[in-house]
Amino acid sequence: MEFASLSLYNQAIILFAALALFMSFIMLAQARMMPLIFTFAWQGLLLTVVSVLVAITSGHPELHISAAITFCLKVVVIPWLLYRLSIKLNMQYDAEAMTHPTLLLLGGVALVIFSYHVSQSIVHLSGLATRNTIAVSMAIELLGMLLMIARKSAVAQVIGFMSMESGIFFAAVVSTYGMPLIVELGLAFDILVASILFGVFFFHLKDSFGSLNVGQFNRLSEANQAMPASDAAEPAPGERS
Amino acid sequence: MTLLEITLLIPLLGGLFLALVGHRPIAGWINIAVGVMTFGAALAMALEVLDHGPQLSPSRMFYIDAFNVYLVVLTAFVGLTTSIFSRPYMRHEVERGRVTSRRLRLYHAMYQCFLFSMLLALSTNNLGILWIGMELATLTTVLLVSLYRTPEAIEAAWKYFILCGVGIAQALFGTVLIYFAAETKLGAGRNDTLLWTVLHESAGGMDPAVITLAFVFLLVGYGTKVGLVPLHNWLPDAHSEGPTPMSAVLSGLLLNVALYALVRVKMLVDGSLHSNLAGNLMMGFGLLSFTVAGLFLHRQHDVKRMFSYSSIEHMGLITFGFGMGGPLATFGALLHMTVHSLTKSAIFITVGHACQLAGTQRITQIRGLIRTQPAIGWGLLLGTVAIAGFPPFGVFISEFLLLMATMKAWPWLTIPLLVGFGVAFAGLFRHMQKMVFGEPPPGQMPVEANMLPVVVHLLLVLWLGLAIPGFLSRWFEQATVLITGASPL
């Protein structure tokens, strides 16, 4: 399909969707906490813009509600929450040591190609104007997952989680013009509760481990389970207070 | 208002009420009272279904058929018996200073909200709401896993949150894809496209490519919550570090609900693909989980961790059974879901008391239960005998049915199954004998324990092993017909 032959609205949709995907790559490469949070908010904003554009072009006014939900959660509430927590936990200047950033980005590229390959077989079914962006939404989801796997900081993992959620929400908007309203509201509620719980956990992690680096988690790995010698050394679980 | 809606409303309101008064000494009793009411309502609802057959609520939001009616009753029942166990257990934990009164309130409120989320997931007719219920079940339990606030508990809860979060997000993507497939078939603009009843009717015309892709995402998503290897990492941690009543309901109920979601989706996929792709995938994952978990049983040093691996093993077996399809295997899998749930929650209840008795979860330090407190010792021994699949308990019957079905359809796979049973049996009993018999350490004192739930559960499992009551076998049969299209009898 010739890009120039599309209507201006559709060109804008594809442009903004591509920018949102680009934000995912920036998040993958961003080691500092604050810019990471801001990039996530920018991605939310871009996805909101796409939802509004889809709502206008498709004549589905209920998509404005999806856009509003995305805006409230992904641009305002979650970034604000993370921002406040970072300041409160005194880690606004923290940066994570990145291992193999190039490899990570190349992996991201591979995931995007994979998404295009997979969605090739299903895109032709859709008569929707936005079908070109189905692959983008899948790529945003998979890149969010990659972010969660590759990073050791709890904040980055939360951002990856929320970015996955954004990608799925976006997939619903562009492939079917949104899920039924009750499902969208339920989803928004779940995500809101999840973000609050994540905040609670940041404090617990900080209290117990002194930092939000979850890479040091090893107490429960199977390798440590198989060492009876440590029986005497470590206090029995029942006696921990 | 239908009886089903009442069944859902009681735990929700109970949870909200307990959020206000959950720290008082009477909260344990309120928790039990809410459990009794939920169970009563669920029972009344089940009787109605027994008389009038499958029911669709007027708004088409809820749907009860032979497949989920018994799971709703089972969930309400185990929720009730575990709440009976949790009252003395949590009081003991408060006395030992492991739980503050604020956390006790959180515990009671979340316990009921967790039951609500599972009942919602089981009874809803909407695949989107099903997903929301599953996610809600994670959210309500994650703070309970970290209830003790030890570094281990927080690590376990974080792992649980992140792994289940990622997994369940995949399931959401799968749900979106199913919606996409249904909308291309049924046309846009309908607001009932995500209803299971509508999807099931029109499954035949949905595009196989999309449905295949959707099933892969859904299998990974709900499979994470079922605890299928290699997505099982959260499960032993969450079970071993949280309070024991939580382990009982997680193992006995949550895994079942996740598997229920997976089987519901499989029914759609089978209708669309007309091949056994979904079944074969489930068989592979199931057999892998069954084998790996059986081996891991041998390496465990924490008693709750050991039994959580046993849960993975049984869930793997049930997934394998559903994957195999066929009336006999499906009937066996449905029965196994029930007996495993009853037996495993009974075991966790006994283990909870045993750990309080010994003051530790380390297997090497739990000794001589039968001498110190015979009820706990015998409970643990009989529970383990039942879960290992000895006759005359119900687990034997369902495992036997599954083995028979395997022998008919995939004769070669009976060998890994039999080896797996042997390995798991050895894994459980090499630890069990010393814990139950052995020499009790000096100064070991009996604790306050209410063994009533354990006795009731094990008697039910025994009953199911000797004779399955007529109404239950009819439900199993109807469910089998729903899932496979053929009757086992």
Side-chain angles (χ1 to χ4, degrees), chain A residues 125 141 145 157 164 168 176 187 190 208 219 222 225 231 238 240, chain B residues 131 135 152 154 158 169-170 183 210 241 301 305 309 362 364:
Chain A
L125 290 169
E141 197 232 335
M145 190 157 77
Q157 289 193 343
M164 278 176 81
I168 297 168
T176 59
L187 281 178
D190 272 0
S208 311
R219 286 164 192 262
E222 275 306 325
Q225 296 294 319
D231 269 15
R240 295 186 303 241
Chain B
W131 185 87
E135 170 79 356
E152 286 83 358
I154 289 175
W158 182 260
Q170 310 299 335
E183 213 178 35
V210 185
E241 298 305 326
H301 294 271
R305 231 180 140 79
Y309 271 104
R362 288 251 151 206
T364 43

PDB file of all heavy atoms in Angstrom, chain A residues 125 141 145 157 164 168 176 187 190 208 219 222 225 231 238 240, chain B residues 131 135 152 154 158 169-170 183 210 241 301 305 309 362 364:
ATOM      1  N   LEU A 125      -7.346 -10.016   7.201  1.00  0.00           N
ATOM      2  CA  LEU A 125      -8.728 -10.285   7.595  1.00  0.00           C
ATOM      3  C   LEU A 125      -9.467  -9.018   7.972  1.00  0.00           C
ATOM      4  O   LEU A 125     -10.685  -8.936   7.903  1.00  0.00           O
ATOM      5  CB  LEU A 125      -8.751 -11.195   8.818  1.00  0.00           C
ATOM      6  CG  LEU A 125      -8.324 -12.612   8.572  1.00  0.00           C
ATOM      7  CD1 LEU A 125      -8.131 -13.297   9.890  1.00  0.00           C
ATOM      8  CD2 LEU A 125      -9.405 -13.305   7.765  1.00  0.00           C
ATOM      9  N   GLU A 141       4.023  -4.458  22.814  1.00  0.00           N
ATOM     10  CA  GLU A 141       3.808  -5.429  23.892  1.00  0.00           C
ATOM     11  C   GLU A 141       5.077  -6.267  24.118  1.00  0.00           C
ATOM     12  O   GLU A 141       5.534  -6.425  25.249  1.00  0.00           O
ATOM     13  CB  GLU A 141       2.634  -6.333  23.523  1.00  0.00           C
ATOM     14  CG  GLU A 141       2.078  -7.072  24.724  1.00  0.00           C
ATOM     15  CD  GLU A 141       1.977  -8.553  24.512  1.00  0.00           C
ATOM     16  OE1 GLU A 141       1.871  -8.987  23.354  1.00  0.00           O
ATOM     17  OE2 GLU A 141       2.006  -9.283  25.508  1.00  0.00           O
ATOM     18  N   MET A 145       7.843  -6.566  27.308  1.00  0.00           N
ATOM     19  CA  MET A 145       8.255  -7.800  27.971  1.00  0.00           C
ATOM     20  C   MET A 145       9.777  -7.909  27.991  1.00  0.00           C
ATOM     21  O   MET A 145      10.371  -8.286  28.999  1.00  0.00           O
ATOM     22  CB  MET A 145       7.645  -8.998  27.254  1.00  0.00           C
ATOM     23  CG  MET A 145       7.820 -10.269  28.018  1.00  0.00           C
ATOM     24  SD  MET A 145       6.612 -11.493  27.578  1.00  0.00           S
ATOM     25  CE  MET A 145       7.241 -12.085  26.042  1.00  0.00           C
ATOM     26  N   GLN A 157      11.095  -2.586  35.621  1.00  0.00           N
ATOM     27  CA  GLN A 157      10.195  -3.713  35.415  1.00  0.00           C
ATOM     28  C   GLN A 157       8.730  -3.270  35.425  1.00  0.00           C
ATOM     29  O   GLN A 157       7.924  -3.728  34.615  1.00  0.00           O
ATOM     30  CB  GLN A 157      10.425  -4.782  36.481  1.00  0.00           C
ATOM     31  CG  GLN A 157      11.747  -5.498  36.276  1.00  0.00           C
ATOM     32  CD  GLN A 157      11.858  -6.752  37.110  1.00  0.00           C
ATOM     33  OE1 GLN A 157      11.123  -6.948  38.055  1.00  0.00           O
ATOM     34  NE2 GLN A 157      12.810  -7.588  36.756  1.00  0.00           N
ATOM     35  N   MET A 164       3.664  -3.021  28.328  1.00  0.00           N
ATOM     36  CA  MET A 164       2.980  -4.171  27.737  1.00  0.00           C
ATOM     37  C   MET A 164       1.481  -3.950  27.712  1.00  0.00           C
ATOM     38  O   MET A 164       0.799  -4.189  26.719  1.00  0.00           O
ATOM     39  CB  MET A 164       3.226  -5.423  28.599  1.00  0.00           C
ATOM     40  CG  MET A 164       4.505  -6.124  28.357  1.00  0.00           C
ATOM     41  SD  MET A 164       4.644  -7.483  29.524  1.00  0.00           S
ATOM     42  CE  MET A 164       3.654  -8.714  28.717  1.00  0.00           C
ATOM     43  N   ILE A 168      -1.205  -3.781  24.546  1.00  0.00           N
ATOM     44  CA  ILE A 168      -2.403  -4.608  24.372  1.00  0.00           C
ATOM     45  C   ILE A 168      -3.641  -3.739  24.196  1.00  0.00           C
ATOM     46  O   ILE A 168      -4.489  -3.987  23.338  1.00  0.00           O
ATOM     47  CB  ILE A 168      -2.566  -5.550  25.577  1.00  0.00           C
ATOM     48  CG1 ILE A 168      -1.380  -6.501  25.640  1.00  0.00           C
ATOM     49  CG2 ILE A 168      -3.842  -6.327  25.465  1.00  0.00           C
ATOM     50  CD1 ILE A 168      -1.279  -7.262  26.910  1.00  0.00           C
ATOM     51  N   THR A 176      -9.890  -3.807  16.617  1.00  0.00           N
ATOM     52  CA  THR A 176     -11.344  -3.981  16.703  1.00  0.00           C
ATOM     53  C   THR A 176     -12.064  -2.722  17.139  1.00  0.00           C
ATOM     54  O   THR A 176     -13.219  -2.785  17.520  1.00  0.00           O
ATOM     55  CB  THR A 176     -11.672  -5.091  17.728  1.00  0.00           C
ATOM     56  OG1 THR A 176     -11.132  -4.706  18.975  1.00  0.00           O
ATOM     57  CG2 THR A 176     -11.095  -6.411  17.329  1.00  0.00           C
ATOM     58  N   LEU A 187     -10.430  -3.417  33.031  1.00  0.00           N
ATOM     59  CA  LEU A 187      -8.984  -3.396  32.791  1.00  0.00           C
ATOM     60  C   LEU A 187      -8.341  -2.196  33.459  1.00  0.00           C
ATOM     61  O   LEU A 187      -7.321  -2.321  34.149  1.00  0.00           O
ATOM     62  CB  LEU A 187      -8.715  -3.274  31.285  1.00  0.00           C
ATOM     63  CG  LEU A 187      -8.848  -4.519  30.449  1.00  0.00           C
ATOM     64  CD1 LEU A 187      -8.604  -4.168  29.004  1.00  0.00           C
ATOM     65  CD2 LEU A 187      -7.821  -5.496  30.927  1.00  0.00           C
ATOM     66  N   ASP A 190      -8.099  -2.729  37.131  1.00  0.00           N
ATOM     67  CA  ASP A 190      -7.029  -3.664  37.476  1.00  0.00           C
ATOM     68  C   ASP A 190      -5.664  -2.992  37.408  1.00  0.00           C
ATOM     69  O   ASP A 190      -4.812  -3.176  38.279  1.00  0.00           O
ATOM     70  CB  ASP A 190      -7.048  -4.864  36.519  1.00  0.00           C
ATOM     71  CG  ASP A 190      -7.974  -5.955  37.016  1.00  0.00           C
ATOM     72  OD1 ASP A 190      -8.575  -5.762  38.091  1.00  0.00           O
ATOM     73  OD2 ASP A 190      -8.104  -6.982  36.342  1.00  0.00           O
ATOM     74  N   SER A 208      13.502  -3.937  52.906  1.00  0.00           N
ATOM     75  CA  SER A 208      14.121  -5.248  53.122  1.00  0.00           C
ATOM     76  C   SER A 208      15.469  -5.382  52.464  1.00  0.00           C
ATOM     77  O   SER A 208      16.327  -6.091  52.964  1.00  0.00           O
ATOM     78  CB  SER A 208      13.228  -6.357  52.577  1.00  0.00           C
ATOM     79  OG  SER A 208      11.935  -6.201  53.031  1.00  0.00           O
ATOM     80  N   ARG A 219      17.417 -15.661  47.327  1.00  0.00           N
ATOM     81  CA  ARG A 219      17.134 -16.485  48.494  1.00  0.00           C
ATOM     82  C   ARG A 219      16.270 -17.688  48.167  1.00  0.00           C
ATOM     83  O   ARG A 219      16.325 -18.698  48.834  1.00  0.00           O
ATOM     84  CB  ARG A 219      16.390 -15.661  49.542  1.00  0.00           C
ATOM     85  CG  ARG A 219      17.274 -14.688  50.254  1.00  0.00           C
ATOM     86  CD  ARG A 219      16.421 -13.667  50.976  1.00  0.00           C
ATOM     87  NE  ARG A 219      17.244 -12.577  51.428  1.00  0.00           N
ATOM     88  CZ  ARG A 219      17.704 -12.478  52.670  1.00  0.00           C
ATOM     89  NH1 ARG A 219      17.409 -13.388  53.550  1.00  0.00           N
ATOM     90  NH2 ARG A 219      18.448 -11.471  53.009  1.00  0.00           N
ATOM     91  N   GLU A 222      16.206 -22.320  43.270  1.00  0.00           N
ATOM     92  CA  GLU A 222      16.300 -23.756  43.518  1.00  0.00           C
ATOM     93  C   GLU A 222      17.714 -24.168  43.921  1.00  0.00           C
ATOM     94  O   GLU A 222      17.897 -25.102  44.677  1.00  0.00           O
ATOM     95  CB  GLU A 222      15.866 -24.542  42.276  1.00  0.00           C
ATOM     96  CG  GLU A 222      14.370 -24.770  42.178  1.00  0.00           C
ATOM     97  CD  GLU A 222      13.779 -25.424  43.415  1.00  0.00           C
ATOM     98  OE1 GLU A 222      14.446 -26.268  44.030  1.00  0.00           O
ATOM     99  OE2 GLU A 222      12.660 -25.070  43.782  1.00  0.00           O
ATOM    100  N   GLN A 225      18.041 -23.999  47.496  1.00  0.00           N
ATOM    101  CA  GLN A 225      17.192 -24.927  48.241  1.00  0.00           C
ATOM    102  C   GLN A 225      17.929 -26.227  48.521  1.00  0.00           C
ATOM    103  O   GLN A 225      17.649 -26.914  49.472  1.00  0.00           O
ATOM    104  CB  GLN A 225      15.923 -25.254  47.441  1.00  0.00           C
ATOM    105  CG  GLN A 225      15.034 -24.076  47.216  1.00  0.00           C
ATOM    106  CD  GLN A 225      14.441 -23.561  48.496  1.00  0.00           C
ATOM    107  OE1 GLN A 225      14.034 -24.333  49.342  1.00  0.00           O
ATOM    108  NE2 GLN A 225      14.398 -22.255  48.641  1.00  0.00           N
ATOM    109  N   ASP A 231      21.342 -25.188  56.595  1.00  0.00           N
ATOM    110  CA  ASP A 231      20.292 -25.345  57.611  1.00  0.00           C
ATOM    111  C   ASP A 231      20.665 -24.674  58.917  1.00  0.00           C
ATOM    112  O   ASP A 231      19.882 -23.968  59.529  1.00  0.00           O
ATOM    113  CB  ASP A 231      20.049 -26.838  57.883  1.00  0.00           C
ATOM    114  CG  ASP A 231      18.965 -27.369  56.974  1.00  0.00           C
ATOM    115  OD1 ASP A 231      18.652 -26.667  56.005  1.00  0.00           O
ATOM    116  OD2 ASP A 231      18.459 -28.454  57.234  1.00  0.00           O
ATOM    117  N   GLY A 238      10.408 -20.264  60.579  1.00  0.00           N
ATOM    118  CA  GLY A 238       9.429 -19.992  61.621  1.00  0.00           C
ATOM    119  C   GLY A 238       9.912 -18.966  62.631  1.00  0.00           C
ATOM    120  O   GLY A 238       9.129 -18.338  63.320  1.00  0.00           O
ATOM    121  N   ARG A 240      11.939 -16.368  61.899  1.00  0.00           N
ATOM    122  CA  ARG A 240      12.149 -15.027  61.366  1.00  0.00           C
ATOM    123  C   ARG A 240      10.989 -14.163  61.824  1.00  0.00           C
ATOM    124  O   ARG A 240       9.858 -14.597  61.841  1.00  0.00           O
ATOM    125  CB  ARG A 240      12.178 -15.066  59.837  1.00  0.00           C
ATOM    126  CG  ARG A 240      13.332 -15.836  59.305  1.00  0.00           C
ATOM    127  CD  ARG A 240      13.355 -15.705  57.806  1.00  0.00           C
ATOM    128  NE  ARG A 240      12.114 -16.142  57.198  1.00  0.00           N
ATOM    129  CZ  ARG A 240      12.041 -17.155  56.335  1.00  0.00           C
ATOM    130  NH1 ARG A 240      13.104 -17.807  55.990  1.00  0.00           N
ATOM    131  NH2 ARG A 240      10.895 -17.474  55.803  1.00  0.00           N
TER     132      ARG A 240
ATOM    133  N   TRP B 131     -10.824 -12.664  32.251  1.00  0.00           N
ATOM    134  CA  TRP B 131      -9.439 -12.204  32.404  1.00  0.00           C
ATOM    135  C   TRP B 131      -9.329 -11.264  33.598  1.00  0.00           C
ATOM    136  O   TRP B 131      -8.393 -11.364  34.397  1.00  0.00           O
ATOM    137  CB  TRP B 131      -8.984 -11.486  31.131  1.00  0.00           C
ATOM    138  CG  TRP B 131      -7.551 -11.110  31.217  1.00  0.00           C
ATOM    139  CD1 TRP B 131      -6.502 -11.883  30.876  1.00  0.00           C
ATOM    140  CD2 TRP B 131      -7.014  -9.901  31.753  1.00  0.00           C
ATOM    141  NE1 TRP B 131      -5.329 -11.226  31.154  1.00  0.00           N
ATOM    142  CE2 TRP B 131      -5.617 -10.016  31.683  1.00  0.00           C
ATOM    143  CE3 TRP B 131      -7.577  -8.731  32.271  1.00  0.00           C
ATOM    144  CZ2 TRP B 131      -4.769  -9.000  32.114  1.00  0.00           C
ATOM    145  CZ3 TRP B 131      -6.726  -7.726  32.709  1.00  0.00           C
ATOM    146  CH2 TRP B 131      -5.340  -7.856  32.633  1.00  0.00           C
ATOM    147  N   GLU B 135      -6.865 -11.618  36.871  1.00  0.00           N
ATOM    148  CA  GLU B 135      -5.900 -10.592  37.281  1.00  0.00           C
ATOM    149  C   GLU B 135      -6.200 -10.124  38.701  1.00  0.00           C
ATOM    150  O   GLU B 135      -5.295  -9.940  39.514  1.00  0.00           O
ATOM    151  CB  GLU B 135      -5.954  -9.426  36.279  1.00  0.00           C
ATOM    152  CG  GLU B 135      -5.188  -8.191  36.681  1.00  0.00           C
ATOM    153  CD  GLU B 135      -3.693  -8.304  36.437  1.00  0.00           C
ATOM    154  OE1 GLU B 135      -3.240  -9.383  36.016  1.00  0.00           O
ATOM    155  OE2 GLU B 135      -2.990  -7.316  36.682  1.00  0.00           O
ATOM    156  N   GLU B 152      12.423 -12.936  52.319  1.00  0.00           N
ATOM    157  CA  GLU B 152      12.004 -14.045  51.455  1.00  0.00           C
ATOM    158  C   GLU B 152      10.566 -13.829  50.962  1.00  0.00           C
ATOM    159  O   GLU B 152      10.262 -14.055  49.800  1.00  0.00           O
ATOM    160  CB  GLU B 152      12.079 -15.382  52.194  1.00  0.00           C
ATOM    161  CG  GLU B 152      13.470 -15.911  52.407  1.00  0.00           C
ATOM    162  CD  GLU B 152      14.118 -15.300  53.622  1.00  0.00           C
ATOM    163  OE1 GLU B 152      13.487 -14.442  54.271  1.00  0.00           O
ATOM    164  OE2 GLU B 152      15.266 -15.657  53.920  1.00  0.00           O
ATOM    165  N   ILE B 154       8.936 -11.062  50.626  1.00  0.00           N
ATOM    166  CA  ILE B 154       8.833  -9.959  49.677  1.00  0.00           C
ATOM    167  C   ILE B 154       9.392 -10.379  48.325  1.00  0.00           C
ATOM    168  O   ILE B 154       8.822 -10.071  47.279  1.00  0.00           O
ATOM    169  CB  ILE B 154       9.518  -8.713  50.244  1.00  0.00           C
ATOM    170  CG1 ILE B 154       8.650  -8.205  51.386  1.00  0.00           C
ATOM    171  CG2 ILE B 154       9.704  -7.655  49.191  1.00  0.00           C
ATOM    172  CD1 ILE B 154       9.202  -7.066  52.132  1.00  0.00           C
ATOM    173  N   TRP B 158       7.147 -10.405  44.989  1.00  0.00           N
ATOM    174  CA  TRP B 158       7.538  -9.643  43.792  1.00  0.00           C
ATOM    175  C   TRP B 158       7.591 -10.561  42.567  1.00  0.00           C
ATOM    176  O   TRP B 158       7.089 -10.232  41.494  1.00  0.00           O
ATOM    177  CB  TRP B 158       8.885  -8.971  44.020  1.00  0.00           C
ATOM    178  CG  TRP B 158       9.327  -8.143  42.856  1.00  0.00           C
ATOM    179  CD1 TRP B 158      10.209  -8.501  41.907  1.00  0.00           C
ATOM    180  CD2 TRP B 158       8.841  -6.844  42.503  1.00  0.00           C
ATOM    181  NE1 TRP B 158      10.326  -7.502  40.976  1.00  0.00           N
ATOM    182  CE2 TRP B 158       9.502  -6.473  41.312  1.00  0.00           C
ATOM    183  CE3 TRP B 158       7.929  -5.951  43.069  1.00  0.00           C
ATOM    184  CZ2 TRP B 158       9.267  -5.253  40.690  1.00  0.00           C
ATOM    185  CZ3 TRP B 158       7.710  -4.743  42.439  1.00  0.00           C
ATOM    186  CH2 TRP B 158       8.373  -4.406  41.273  1.00  0.00           C
ATOM    187  N   ALA B 169      -0.798 -10.891  31.099  1.00  0.00           N
ATOM    188  CA  ALA B 169      -0.881  -9.917  30.019  1.00  0.00           C
ATOM    189  C   ALA B 169      -0.922 -10.626  28.662  1.00  0.00           C
ATOM    190  O   ALA B 169      -1.641 -10.207  27.749  1.00  0.00           O
ATOM    191  CB  ALA B 169       0.298  -8.953  30.089  1.00  0.00           C
ATOM    192  N   GLN B 170      -0.160 -11.724  28.553  1.00  0.00           N
ATOM    193  CA  GLN B 170      -0.219 -12.498  27.297  1.00  0.00           C
ATOM    194  C   GLN B 170      -1.631 -13.022  27.069  1.00  0.00           C
ATOM    195  O   GLN B 170      -2.133 -13.046  25.948  1.00  0.00           O
ATOM    196  CB  GLN B 170       0.748 -13.679  27.332  1.00  0.00           C
ATOM    197  CG  GLN B 170       2.148 -13.358  27.742  1.00  0.00           C
ATOM    198  CD  GLN B 170       2.807 -12.387  26.814  1.00  0.00           C
ATOM    199  OE1 GLN B 170       2.431 -12.284  25.660  1.00  0.00           O
ATOM    200  NE2 GLN B 170       3.761 -11.650  27.327  1.00  0.00           N
ATOM    201  N   GLU B 183     -14.991 -10.734  15.706  1.00  0.00           N
ATOM    202  CA  GLU B 183     -15.603  -9.564  15.098  1.00  0.00           C
ATOM    203  C   GLU B 183     -15.533  -9.632  13.567  1.00  0.00           C
ATOM    204  O   GLU B 183     -16.463  -9.203  12.891  1.00  0.00           O
ATOM    205  CB  GLU B 183     -14.940  -8.282  15.609  1.00  0.00           C
ATOM    206  CG  GLU B 183     -15.936  -7.159  15.688  1.00  0.00           C
ATOM    207  CD  GLU B 183     -15.354  -5.892  16.239  1.00  0.00           C
ATOM    208  OE1 GLU B 183     -14.175  -5.610  15.963  1.00  0.00           O
ATOM    209  OE2 GLU B 183     -16.091  -5.170  16.929  1.00  0.00           O
ATOM    210  N   VAL B 210      -5.790 -16.785  13.105  1.00  0.00           N
ATOM    211  CA  VAL B 210      -5.887 -15.892  14.265  1.00  0.00           C
ATOM    212  C   VAL B 210      -6.097 -16.703  15.531  1.00  0.00           C
ATOM    213  O   VAL B 210      -5.490 -16.433  16.580  1.00  0.00           O
ATOM    214  CB  VAL B 210      -7.057 -14.908  14.084  1.00  0.00           C
ATOM    215  CG1 VAL B 210      -7.071 -13.913  15.220  1.00  0.00           C
ATOM    216  CG2 VAL B 210      -6.963 -14.199  12.770  1.00  0.00           C
ATOM    217  N   GLU B 241       6.136 -19.033  51.151  1.00  0.00           N
ATOM    218  CA  GLU B 241       6.418 -17.869  51.977  1.00  0.00           C
ATOM    219  C   GLU B 241       5.172 -17.204  52.538  1.00  0.00           C
ATOM    220  O   GLU B 241       5.252 -16.445  53.482  1.00  0.00           O
ATOM    221  CB  GLU B 241       7.242 -16.846  51.188  1.00  0.00           C
ATOM    222  CG  GLU B 241       8.596 -17.369  50.745  1.00  0.00           C
ATOM    223  CD  GLU B 241       9.425 -17.906  51.895  1.00  0.00           C
ATOM    224  OE1 GLU B 241       9.342 -17.367  53.004  1.00  0.00           O
ATOM    225  OE2 GLU B 241      10.129 -18.912  51.682  1.00  0.00           O
ATOM    226  N   HIS B 301      13.572 -28.895  50.714  1.00  0.00           N
ATOM    227  CA  HIS B 301      13.887 -28.918  52.132  1.00  0.00           C
ATOM    228  C   HIS B 301      12.861 -28.151  52.938  1.00  0.00           C
ATOM    229  O   HIS B 301      12.993 -27.999  54.129  1.00  0.00           O
ATOM    230  CB  HIS B 301      15.278 -28.325  52.371  1.00  0.00           C
ATOM    231  CG  HIS B 301      16.342 -29.170  51.759  1.00  0.00           C
ATOM    232  ND1 HIS B 301      16.939 -30.194  52.444  1.00  0.00           N
ATOM    233  CD2 HIS B 301      16.855 -29.187  50.513  1.00  0.00           C
ATOM    234  CE1 HIS B 301      17.796 -30.790  51.635  1.00  0.00           C
ATOM    235  NE2 HIS B 301      17.764 -30.205  50.465  1.00  0.00           N
ATOM    236  N   ARG B 305       7.017 -25.965  50.290  1.00  0.00           N
ATOM    237  CA  ARG B 305       7.563 -25.943  48.934  1.00  0.00           C
ATOM    238  C   ARG B 305       7.405 -27.303  48.263  1.00  0.00           C
ATOM    239  O   ARG B 305       7.067 -27.411  47.090  1.00  0.00           O
ATOM    240  CB  ARG B 305       9.050 -25.605  49.020  1.00  0.00           C
ATOM    241  CG  ARG B 305       9.487 -24.515  48.135  1.00  0.00           C
ATOM    242  CD  ARG B 305      10.958 -24.275  48.306  1.00  0.00           C
ATOM    243  NE  ARG B 305      11.500 -24.034  46.993  1.00  0.00           N
ATOM    244  CZ  ARG B 305      11.395 -22.872  46.377  1.00  0.00           C
ATOM    245  NH1 ARG B 305      10.815 -21.869  46.955  1.00  0.00           N
ATOM    246  NH2 ARG B 305      11.884 -22.717  45.174  1.00  0.00           N
ATOM    247  N   TYR B 309       5.257 -28.243  44.792  1.00  0.00           N
ATOM    248  CA  TYR B 309       5.710 -28.967  43.590  1.00  0.00           C
ATOM    249  C   TYR B 309       4.762 -30.115  43.277  1.00  0.00           C
ATOM    250  O   TYR B 309       4.522 -30.439  42.102  1.00  0.00           O
ATOM    251  CB  TYR B 309       7.142 -29.473  43.758  1.00  0.00           C
ATOM    252  CG  TYR B 309       8.150 -28.450  43.317  1.00  0.00           C
ATOM    253  CD1 TYR B 309       8.870 -27.714  44.231  1.00  0.00           C
ATOM    254  CD2 TYR B 309       8.332 -28.193  41.971  1.00  0.00           C
ATOM    255  CE1 TYR B 309       9.760 -26.746  43.826  1.00  0.00           C
ATOM    256  CE2 TYR B 309       9.218 -27.223  41.551  1.00  0.00           C
ATOM    257  CZ  TYR B 309       9.926 -26.507  42.482  1.00  0.00           C
ATOM    258  OH  TYR B 309      10.791 -25.539  42.058  1.00  0.00           O
ATOM    259  N   ARG B 362      11.235 -26.242  57.826  1.00  0.00           N
ATOM    260  CA  ARG B 362      12.308 -27.129  57.344  1.00  0.00           C
ATOM    261  C   ARG B 362      11.947 -28.584  57.602  1.00  0.00           C
ATOM    262  O   ARG B 362      11.642 -28.968  58.737  1.00  0.00           O
ATOM    263  CB  ARG B 362      13.602 -26.812  58.091  1.00  0.00           C
ATOM    264  CG  ARG B 362      14.202 -25.512  57.661  1.00  0.00           C
ATOM    265  CD  ARG B 362      15.451 -25.734  56.863  1.00  0.00           C
ATOM    266  NE  ARG B 362      15.623 -24.635  55.939  1.00  0.00           N
ATOM    267  CZ  ARG B 362      16.285 -24.734  54.789  1.00  0.00           C
ATOM    268  NH1 ARG B 362      16.817 -25.866  54.421  1.00  0.00           N
ATOM    269  NH2 ARG B 362      16.397 -23.708  54.001  1.00  0.00           N
ATOM    270  N   THR B 364      13.810 -31.144  57.750  1.00  0.00           N
ATOM    271  CA  THR B 364      14.725 -31.848  58.667  1.00  0.00           C
ATOM    272  C   THR B 364      14.421 -31.545  60.130  1.00  0.00           C
ATOM    273  O   THR B 364      14.882 -32.259  61.008  1.00  0.00           O
ATOM    274  CB  THR B 364      16.177 -31.429  58.385  1.00  0.00           C
ATOM    275  OG1 THR B 364      16.201 -30.019  58.200  1.00  0.00           O
ATOM    276  CG2 THR B 364      16.724 -32.121  57.168  1.00  0.00           C
TER     277      THR B 364
END
